[in-house]
Amino acid sequence: MTEPPTGPMTEPPTEPPLRVVIADDQALVRTGFGMILAADGIDVVAEAADGDQAVEAVHRTRPDLVLMDIRMPGTDGLEATRRILSGAVPDPPPRVVMLTTFDLDRYVYAALTAGASGFLLKDVTPEHLVAAVRLTRAGDALLSPAITRRLVERFVAHGSGTAALHRDLSVLTPREREVLQSLGGGLSNAELAALFRLSEATVKTHVARILAKLRLRDRAQAVVVAYETGLVVPRSGEGDAGL
């Protein structure tokens, strides 16, 4: 008969709770989102009613993610996002996800160019909210490339006037340019793997190298760069679909 181990049992490592700041000028939104996240074990470390409070909360609590309303009194969510992601807070900065009521919003586009990882509509379901927030653990953009493409096509095609990311694609290998072009077209890792006959692990490596070389935070910004550099050309009339 095998003797039971006498030494101390080693517990498998567990990840610390995800830490989130919620910034929205509506108390009902903050409370509702906070209750949904807390019920799923996500730690809401602070709330903010305007952009200045959001920046201060990030300084103080160092969260993993900020849910940031775009339109708030005083300092709005776009300016707060720029401050947070420009190095005005201690490294590493959190990911920022914009909260909006309108998906084709030029301010969302401006936030993506500033480094936001995507956006959520305020009428998001509880399940979608939790799933989107948890994607930060894996470092994924909190926005599908296809939705990003539709947003970017509208404002690149119509000259939005927002600051371009200005990335030099000459630092990429030919294969990395091909991957970026297809990523800009809204393809997922699985679709990229099938297109180039590569494993998904190899595709993830290509994407990681693209982000590192172009100094991008995630795939959402990569889609923006693909359009702003002309690697992907907006399709005529596509940007106004659904308006």
Side-chain angles (χ1 to χ4, degrees):
M1 181 174 178
T2 304
E3 293 291 329
T6 57
M9 296 294 291
T10 302
E11 293 284 340
T14 58
E15 293 179 317
L18 195 61
R19 295 164 54 81
V20 177
V21 167
I22 302 174
D24 194 290
D25 63 333
Q26 298 181 42
L28 188 60
V29 172
R30 299 195 305 270
T31 301
F33 277 25
M35 291 176 63
I36 291 168
L37 296 178
D40 204 73
I42 296 170
D43 192 2
V44 179
V45 296
E47 295 182 6
D50 59 41
D52 289 331
Q53 290 182 17
V55 174
E56 186 278 330
V58 170
H59 272 285
R60 175 166 45 84
T61 65
R62 300 195 178 192
D64 301 299
L65 172 72
V66 181
L67 293 175
M68 181 79 76
D69 187 17
I70 292 180
R71 292 173 176 82
M72 293 184 286
T75 300
D76 64 16
L78 178 56
E79 177 58 27
T81 297
R82 288 175 176 145
R83 292 184 191 175
I84 290 169
L85 299 181
S86 66
V89 297
D91 286 334
R95 289 179 177 267
V96 178
V97 178
M98 311 309 295
L99 300 175
T100 182
T101 56
F102 178 46
D103 57 354
L104 290 182
D105 187 330
R106 64 171 44 85
Y107 295 105
V108 172
Y109 175 71
L112 292 178
T113 67
S117 295
F119 70 86
L120 291 171
L121 296 179
K122 288 191 179 183
D123 62 357
V124 63
T125 65
E127 296 78 13
H128 188 184
L129 173 64
V130 170
V133 167
R134 288 202 174 279
L135 281 176
T136 61
R137 183 76 71 185
D140 292 332
L142 304 181
L143 182 64
S144 75
I147 296 174
T148 313
R149 184 200 68 208
R150 186 163 64 99
L151 177 74
V152 173
E153 281 185 347
R154 171 168 173 77
F155 294 109
V156 170
H158 291 77
S160 67
T162 57
L165 291 175
H166 298 304
R167 296 297 192 258
D168 181 5
L169 300 188
S170 66
V171 299
L172 303 180
T173 66
R175 174 47 60 91
E176 288 166 351
R177 285 175 62 95
E178 291 174 344
V179 171
L180 177 59
Q181 183 178 40
S182 298
L183 193 158
L187 271 64
S188 66
N189 281 350
E191 292 167 333
L192 289 169
L195 176 65
F196 295 111
R197 298 184 179 180
L198 301 170
S199 69
E200 285 197 46
T202 300
V203 167
K204 288 180 180 178
T205 298
H206 281 309
V207 172
R209 288 175 177 167
I210 290 167
L211 299 183
K213 288 182 177 181
L214 299 180
R215 305 186 308 281
L216 304 173
R217 290 178 56 81
D218 51 44
R219 296 167 69 101
Q221 274 200 310
V223 174
V224 175
V225 166
Y227 278 89
E228 290 192 336
T229 57
L231 192 60
V232 179
V233 179
R235 290 170 289 186
S236 177
E238 184 80 6
D240 288 330
L243 293 183

